[in-house]
Amino acid sequence: MEANKSAGILSIILGLIFIIFPIFSTGLVSILIGVSLVFLGIAVILSGFSAFNIIVGILAIIFGLLFIFNISALSFLLGIQFYIIGILLILMGIAGIFSGQGVSRIAAVLLVILGIIAFALGGMSLTQPLFAAILIGVGLIVEGVNIYLSE
């Protein structure tokens, strides 16, 4: 089996696991991110004893511990990401509406609508960690199908 097909199937399976077992999968991913950040922080501190390395290392360790001991940190991060994407889409849509260059007005209005939807998804992700896990699962399934069908 080709690498693309295997990666696509794996992504679809992981997406289904995120949707079927959202608490387990969100907790596991949060712990993996936390452990990775703790190790990154330690490695950055040990790589050179400059003030910048120490500050970045300590911040990475603090955020790593946050991800390890707080499952909602992952949903918070996803929510913030949706807020940033939403704001950028809204700003690009408004700029497209007023400039009229390179983008049709309909596409610019659609960007504003997508920005509002992304903003709403961010709010839901911040309040419900389970919603964040389901969004990650759906994203994995969509990407898995895309990878599987690509040639």
Side-chain angles (χ1 to χ4, degrees), residues 3-108:
N4 281 354
K5 305 268 187 214
S6 298
I9 291 171
L10 181 64
S11 182
I12 292 169
I13 291 170
L14 285 174
L16 289 173
I17 290 171
F18 263 89
I19 291 172
I20 295 169
F21 305 108
I23 294 174
F24 169 75
S25 55
T26 303
L28 182 65
V29 168
S30 186
I31 290 170
L32 289 174
I33 291 172
V35 169
S36 298
L37 282 171
V38 168
F39 284 132
L40 173 71
I42 292 169
V44 168
I45 290 173
L46 295 177
S47 70
F49 289 105
S50 69
F52 179 76
N53 285 356
I54 292 173
I55 291 171
V56 170
I58 290 172
L59 284 175
I61 291 171
I62 290 170
F63 280 109
L65 293 174
L66 177 70
F67 275 102
I68 291 171
F69 295 112
N70 189 359
I71 191 173
S72 61
L74 183 64
S75 63
F76 174 77
L77 188 63
L78 187 64
I80 295 298
Q81 180 181 358
F82 272 119
Y83 279 144
I84 291 169
I85 291 169
I87 290 169
L88 290 174
L89 285 172
I90 290 169
L91 291 175
M92 288 178 3
I94 291 171
I97 290 171
F98 289 117
S99 73
Q101 294 179 346
V103 174
S104 70
R105 297 218 190 281
I106 294 172

Side-chain angles (χ1 to χ4, degrees), residues 6 11-12 30 39 61 86 110 119 121 131 134 136 146 148 150:
S6 298
S11 182
I12 292 169
S30 186
F39 284 132
I61 291 171
L110 287 175
F119 211 78
L121 288 174
F131 183 75
I134 292 171
I136 292 170
N146 186 27
Y148 185 81
S150 69

